[in-house]
Amino acid sequence: LHRMSIIHNFKWLFSYQVLRLAVGFLLGAWVARALGPSDFGVLSTASATAAIAYVVIELGMRQLVAKEISQRREHEHVIVGTAFKIWLLSGAIITAIIGLWNATGEHGPRIPWSVWWAAMLPQMLSCLALHNIWEEASHRAYVVVRNGMIAYLVCAAVRLVCLIWWPKLTVLAWTVAAETLLLGVLAMRTSHKLGRGWWPSGWDSATARKLLR
């Protein structure tokens, strides 16, 4: 059964990666051409800033949380609830710090605020990814991939429409942000259907210290 689960998860993951590479290459080239060097540079800067922010916000907890859930099944709700609160707090703090950095540009914000919010809001709410980590630790990675595929295809379709009818920097930036936000919503829905609730609950100081040390 475990072997079949691995094969099933691999098939979903492989299909998802191939899909992302193919669609991402085509849409990425179109976005670069539609925006031009200046606006595409702004979008790339915002994306790079968001990527750096995620690394700091996540605090390296992803693998630790998955390991803790796998080893302590009877306490999984408390583990995820504790990690969720830590991650949410770190997201708010790092977002505020990067917001201050963005506001101190010499001639105004370094990144237009509409684009900045599109880049940073998904990072601030990246704690929703814990629902996906929970699924992966439960050997249900295919559920995460399925949700990711739905979010990606929906947002890719919206981005395609925007490229045709409304190829503006802010609009395209929000189509990128929408993928992460939609994935979070789908993960919450999956968790709710499994009886875990929409938002992880619980707190344990010992678990918090273990995740942060």
Side-chain angles (χ1 to χ4, degrees):
L1 180 62
H2 183 61
R3 180 173 176 273
M4 293 301 295
S5 176
I6 292 175
I7 294 174
H8 187 55
N9 289 335
F10 174 78
K11 287 179 179 179
W12 272 94
L13 182 60
F14 180 77
S15 302
Y16 179 51
Q17 292 300 329
V18 171
L19 179 68
R20 283 194 72 99
L21 285 172
V23 177
F25 175 78
L26 295 174
L27 285 182
W30 196 347
V31 168
R33 182 172 181 176
L35 291 180
S38 179
D39 282 352
F40 187 70
V42 172
L43 183 61
S44 298
T45 301
S47 298
T49 302
I52 294 171
Y54 176 78
V55 172
V56 180
I57 291 170
E58 191 252 356
L59 298 172
M61 289 196 304
R62 187 180 187 93
Q63 298 302 323
L64 283 174
V65 171
K67 181 181 178 181
E68 285 293 306
I69 293 173
S70 298
Q71 294 179 346
R72 300 165 57 197
R73 285 288 178 191
E74 68 278 10
H75 301 298
E76 58 184 10
H77 285 82
V78 174
I79 294 168
V80 175
T82 301
F84 181 85
K85 292 176 176 64
I86 295 172
W87 209 330
L88 184 62
L89 178 60
S90 67
I93 292 172
I94 298 304
T95 299
I97 292 172
I98 294 179
L100 290 173
W101 166 82
N102 193 54
T104 57
E106 186 176 352
H107 304 292
R110 302 172 191 269
I111 302 170
W113 285 110
S114 57
V115 178
W116 182 89
W117 274 111
M120 291 307 303
L121 183 60
Q123 311 314 315
M124 189 166 63
L125 298 177
S126 59
C127 53
L128 297 177
L130 282 163
H131 289 293
N132 291 326
I133 297 173
W134 202 342
E135 290 298 310
E136 291 170 356
S138 302
H139 305 293
R140 285 162 47 89
Y142 71 92
V143 176
V144 180
V145 175
R146 183 189 63 198
N147 288 341
M149 190 176 293
I150 293 171
Y152 184 71
L153 288 175
V154 169
C155 293
V158 173
R159 194 173 309 136
L160 178 61
V161 172
C162 291
L163 281 167
I164 296 172
W165 299 104
W166 202 8
K168 302 296 182 182
L169 172 61
T170 300
V171 175
L172 293 175
W174 277 102
T175 65
V176 176
E179 180 187 344
T180 304
L181 296 173
L182 179 57
L183 177 57
V185 171
L186 291 173
M188 290 170 63
R189 177 177 174 272
T190 298
S191 184
H192 178 69
K193 288 176 65 177
L194 292 172
R196 298 169 180 166
W198 292 98
W199 296 94
S201 60
W203 173 264
D204 180 66
S205 298
T207 299
R209 288 192 295 271
K210 191 172 184 179
L211 292 174
L212 291 171
R213 70 184 180 185

